[in-house]
Amino acid sequence: MAKVLDFVFRWTILFILLSCANCESTDIELDVKAQQLHRIDSLNILLYTFLLTLTVLTIWLFKHRRLRFLHETGLAVIYGLIVGCFIRFTTNQTPVSHMTVVQNKGGDYNNSLPPDTLWLRFTSSGGSQPLVNKTYAYSFRGGLEKVTGNAIDIKATFDPEIFFNIILPPIIFHAGYSLKRKYFFRNLGAILTYAVLGTTISAFVVGVLMYSALPFISDLKYSFLDTLYFGAIISPTDPVTILAIFNDMRVDVTLYSLVFGESVLNDAVAIVLSGSIQNYERHSQLGTGGFETEAFFRALGDFIGIFSLSLVIGACMGCSTALLTKFTRIRDFPLLESALFVLMSYATFLIAEATDLTGVVSVLFCGIFQAHYTYNNLSNDSRKRTKHLFELLNFLSENFIFSYIGVSMFTFPKHRFDAGFIIAGFICATFSRAANIYPLSFLVNLGRKPKIASNFQHMLFFAGLRGAMSFALAIRNTVSEARQAMLTTTSLIVIFTVIIQGGSTMQLLSLFKIPVGVEEEVEALPYSGSGRNEPETPTSPRGSDKSWLAKIWGDFDTNFMKPLLTHARPTLLETLPVCCNPIARVLTTTQQMTQEPYRSESDSDLCIQEHDSRRESTQRVRK
């Protein structure tokens, strides 16, 4: 029996070999091609992994030696520039094959837009019949003027959608989730003024100045909407470098909250504003050259509507997660609880993007609501896990983007170095920041106590670093020459501000006599330059410093939102009218009825995150 089986096996193998002998070598060649592409992909990922590893080790060395003249984001940019230069000028030029495709005369194709797919038919070498079954589809990556570069250059260039769908969401969510809500809402009026009104003013100042100056210093033609769009993408700030030093040095919490709050919200404002500018161009009658009133108001309506609806989606998803964690026992399984938390948060971004809204706004406010409500319902394991997870993702994502900014300066094929545009961009970005901070600070101080001192205003001005959001918006569309020049200028501004401005933070704190080593619970009054901090008087109630908007929201939140979404007290049975008791009884848990009454200024569960950050900051300073 064994001999029979051996005989059958041998003849089967021989039959297969004879059958394959007639096969073309195309499959083998395709396997080799696929293996080569896989190897280059692995090399590309290894490259960025090496960059991040080198950045982490250098950060440890800097912290060990207590060096603060350069932050990790600046290091990531510098390392990226070095590696990008190395790839550009020293790597072997791996050949890239190209095929010229000619449009079919009878094909249904709109010349103003790229095709969805390319169907390629070709003849085999030495043959005469077309291989109808050999069809390859290629995705659109933008128009090219010069087909240059090698395989490593191409692979080192990431799809811009990766930034919006994968890299940016954890950064924006972490900004909302780690928000120090007490100080944020206490300075809500000033933060909204800088973030919403200030970002809009900055965008229009850049747009007007650039449009006025470019005809005299640049050979390219730019429309007013082009320069206005550039103003929108260059206006958001990303002072991650300065905030890290602020946290280490324990700078006054009012200044910290103003810088952090503005940078959190102006990212969302900038992306909605840039979309509204594009909507105006789409609504207007192209070619008229005049101001379209109807298109302007439609674009303004788009701005308000998109921002508001995106905010509502983020708030609803945050509240939904809070309800799920409150009325279920999923906290008995911390791993499942954490997974649900992460998936619901990421789904917020995707829902907004899929409905043609703005995922950045949605995921930002989702993070704020998750921290304010859902965090209180989580188990201790899930609290620690989610906090550390998003902190890690934020660190890796930010440093990856800054590394890629440096690498892309040499490998991205669509940079356009327009000297006039670059010079005007630097000058206008600086002037627009001043037009944002100083006039608005004057207006805010008219009705604010304590007022924002002049040295704080100077620090706010120099805290206008550009970062991930500006770069992500600029690289998303580089088809036209104008957009390519915007990308190059934006990248250079990001590199300059992160390395130079971020590296000079310590000197600026000393120059402006900003108080450091301040306890988090003690906010310095306007600094007079006398060398000491005046504590607030006992007769000045802490709640009186809140803005009127924060007070209204605080009362509504304490009486209705927290009792509904968390286990906090007072319960809805105590705050709702008597006629609503049946509904209130259903929405009140046993845990709410049995725990201690709610204390308005010190909800211990909701302050665990802030207490941990204060303790870690104190430990770092002591070391």
Side-chain angles (χ1 to χ4, degrees):
M1 184 66 182
K3 292 182 178 181
V4 174
L5 291 176
D6 182 67
F7 177 79
V8 173
F9 177 75
R10 290 175 180 273
W11 277 101
T12 303
I13 296 298
L14 180 61
F15 175 77
I16 294 174
L17 292 175
L18 291 174
S19 300
C20 291
N22 297 324
C23 297
E24 298 180 356
S25 61
T26 305
D27 291 336
I28 298 176
E29 294 174 353
L30 289 176
D31 288 340
V32 173
K33 182 70 172 179
Q35 183 64 26
Q36 181 185 10
L37 293 177
H38 172 73
R39 181 174 59 83
I40 296 176
D41 282 332
S42 301
L43 179 62
N44 181 40
I45 297 175
L46 176 63
L47 171 69
Y48 287 100
T49 304
F50 170 76
L51 276 175
L52 293 178
T53 304
L54 185 61
T55 302
V56 169
L57 291 176
T58 311
I59 293 170
W60 168 81
L61 179 63
F62 275 41
K63 289 184 179 294
H64 180 66
R65 299 295 183 182
R66 295 184 179 181
L67 303 176
R68 293 192 178 95
F69 64 88
L70 192 60
H71 189 252
E72 57 253 30
T73 53
L75 288 170
V77 171
I78 293 174
Y79 288 148
L81 288 170
I82 295 173
V83 172
C85 181
F86 177 81
I87 293 175
R88 181 68 179 84
F89 297 108
T90 64
T91 56
N92 294 327
Q93 297 295 312
T94 305
V96 178
S97 59
H98 302 285
M99 177 183 292
T100 303
V101 181
V102 181
Q103 177 188 351
N104 187 353
K105 294 182 180 180
D108 184 11
Y109 170 64
N110 183 1
N111 290 321
S112 63
L113 294 174
D116 297 324
T117 59
L118 297 179
W119 289 4
L120 306 181
R121 290 185 178 182
F122 52 91
T123 57
S124 59
S125 58
S128 59
Q129 298 298 325
L131 298 176
V132 179
N133 61 331
K134 296 292 184 181
T135 304
Y136 294 90
Y138 290 82
S139 61
F140 174 71
R141 295 189 61 179
L144 293 176
E145 293 183 358
K146 298 178 181 180
V147 183
T148 58
N150 56 61
I152 297 181
D153 286 345
I154 294 175
K155 287 294 181 179
T157 301
F158 282 87
D159 187 342
E161 291 303 312
I162 292 178
F163 290 100
F164 272 85
N165 293 327
I166 298 177
I167 305 297
L168 275 182
I171 295 176
I172 303 300
F173 181 85
H174 179 263
Y177 194 55
S178 63
L179 185 69
K180 296 180 180 179
R181 299 178 300 282
K182 179 169 62 175
Y183 304 112
F184 176 85
F185 287 108
R186 186 173 298 163
N187 298 279
L188 184 61
I191 290 173
L192 288 175
T193 302
Y194 291 130
V196 180
L197 185 58
T199 303
T200 305
I201 291 174
S202 176
F204 276 90
V205 168
V206 172
V208 172
L209 293 180
M210 293 283 288
Y211 184 71
S212 302
L214 286 177
F216 304 99
I217 59 178
S218 176
D219 296 332
L220 294 178
K221 299 297 183 181
Y222 298 94
S223 67
F224 179 66
L225 290 179
D226 287 334
T227 59
L228 193 60
Y229 181 83
F230 175 72
I233 67 176
I234 205 63
S235 294
T237 58
D238 187 15
V240 59
T241 305
I242 291 179
L243 290 175
I245 296 176
F246 278 9
N247 190 54
D248 290 339
M249 300 299 296
R250 290 189 298 168
V251 174
D252 175 59
V253 291
T254 298
L255 179 61
Y256 184 97
S257 62
L258 289 175
V259 175
F260 182 74
E262 182 202 1
S263 65
V264 166
L265 292 182
N266 65 14
D267 283 349
V269 173
I271 195 170
V272 179
L273 183 61
S274 60
S276 300
I277 294 171
Q278 292 174 321
N279 290 338
Y280 172 82
E281 186 174 8
R282 187 176 70 251
H283 296 324
S284 63
Q285 299 177 1
L286 300 179
T288 59
F291 178 76
E292 296 287 341
T293 304
E294 180 182 356
F296 171 78
F297 283 105
R298 291 180 66 182
L300 181 61
D302 290 338
F303 177 87
I304 298 174
I306 290 174
F307 194 94
S308 302
L309 292 176
S310 300
L311 189 156
V312 169
I313 288 178
C316 289
M317 290 296 288
C319 294
S320 300
T321 310
L323 289 173
L324 280 173
T325 53
K326 177 183 177 181
F327 292 104
T328 64
R329 296 297 302 177
I330 196 172
R331 63 179 295 159
D332 295 338
F333 306 93
L335 181 61
L336 300 180
E337 185 183 37
S338 302
L340 176 67
F341 183 92
V342 173
L343 293 174
M344 292 285 286
S345 302
Y346 185 57
T348 304
F349 179 87
L350 299 178
I351 289 173
E353 291 293 324
T355 54
D356 204 21
L357 297 174
T358 302
V360 170
V361 178
S362 294
V363 78
L364 169 64
F365 284 94
C366 177
I368 294 175
F369 275 72
Q370 297 281 42
H372 195 55
Y373 300 117
T374 310
Y375 183 83
N376 190 44
N377 301 333
L378 299 178
S379 62
N380 290 331
D381 289 343
S382 295
R383 289 178 181 179
K384 295 177 181 178
R385 183 180 290 116
T386 55
K387 175 187 174 183
H388 295 157
L389 173 64
F390 284 107
E391 187 177 8
L392 176 63
L393 291 177
N394 174 73
F395 174 81
L396 293 177
S397 299
E398 281 189 336
N399 283 279
F400 172 82
I401 287 184
F402 284 105
S403 297
Y404 182 70
I405 291 174
V407 173
S408 68
M409 289 300 299
F410 294 94
T411 62
F412 194 73
K414 297 180 182 178
H415 277 295
R416 186 176 185 88
F417 290 86
D418 185 345
F421 195 95
I422 293 172
I423 295 173
F426 271 89
I427 296 175
C428 293
T430 303
F431 190 81
S432 66
R433 182 66 182 170
N436 174 358
I437 296 300
Y438 294 110
L440 293 183
S441 297
F442 173 77
L443 294 178
V444 168
N445 283 338
L446 294 177
R448 175 186 169 90
K449 292 182 180 180
K451 300 184 183 300
I452 302 174
S454 58
N455 56 340
F456 281 13
Q457 296 179 33
H458 298 330
M459 198 67 222
L460 284 170
F461 169 76
F462 281 99
L465 281 65
R466 273 60 173 185
M469 180 57 68
S470 296
F471 178 76
L473 288 171
I475 202 174
R476 199 171 194 181
N477 180 4
T478 55
V479 176
S480 65
E481 293 182 344
R483 294 297 177 89
Q484 293 171 11
M486 291 180 195
L487 170 63
T488 303
T489 304
T490 301
S491 300
L492 292 174
I493 292 176
V494 170
I495 293 172
F496 177 84
T497 55
V498 167
I499 296 177
I500 304 301
Q501 285 184 237
S504 61
T505 303
M506 293 295 298
Q507 291 76 14
L508 293 174
L509 289 174
S510 176
L511 177 65
F512 298 142
K513 299 181 180 179
I514 303 293
V516 297
V518 180
E519 291 296 331
E520 188 167 336
E521 295 298 332
V522 179
E523 293 182 83
L525 293 176
Y527 191 70
S528 61
S530 60
R532 59 189 181 91
N533 301 329
E534 297 291 342
E536 64 178 0
T537 60
T539 58
S540 174
R542 176 63 69 183
S544 63
D545 291 340
K546 291 183 179 180
S547 64
W548 63 271
L549 185 60
K551 290 179 182 178
I552 295 175
W553 167 253
D555 293 339
F556 178 77
D557 182 49
T558 301
N559 294 324
F560 301 104
M561 295 298 292
K562 285 180 180 176
L564 171 64
L565 301 175
T566 70
H567 299 289
R569 294 187 64 180
T571 66
L572 292 176
L573 289 169
E574 303 170 68
T575 58
L576 287 178
V578 178
C579 60
C580 299
N581 276 352
I583 299 177
R585 190 173 294 108
V586 173
L587 299 176
T588 302
T589 62
T590 304
Q591 183 177 346
Q592 280 181 279
M593 300 296 296
T594 57
Q595 71 179 8
E596 294 181 1
Y598 172 75
R599 292 170 295 177
S600 59
E601 288 296 326
S602 59
D603 186 345
S604 59
D605 287 330
L606 291 177
C607 292
I608 287 177
Q609 197 173 14
E610 296 180 5
H611 174 72
D612 290 343
S613 64
R614 291 197 302 269
R615 183 177 59 186
E616 293 171 1
S617 176
T618 303
Q619 291 175 351
R620 284 196 299 268
V621 172
R622 288 176 179 175
K623 290 180 180 179

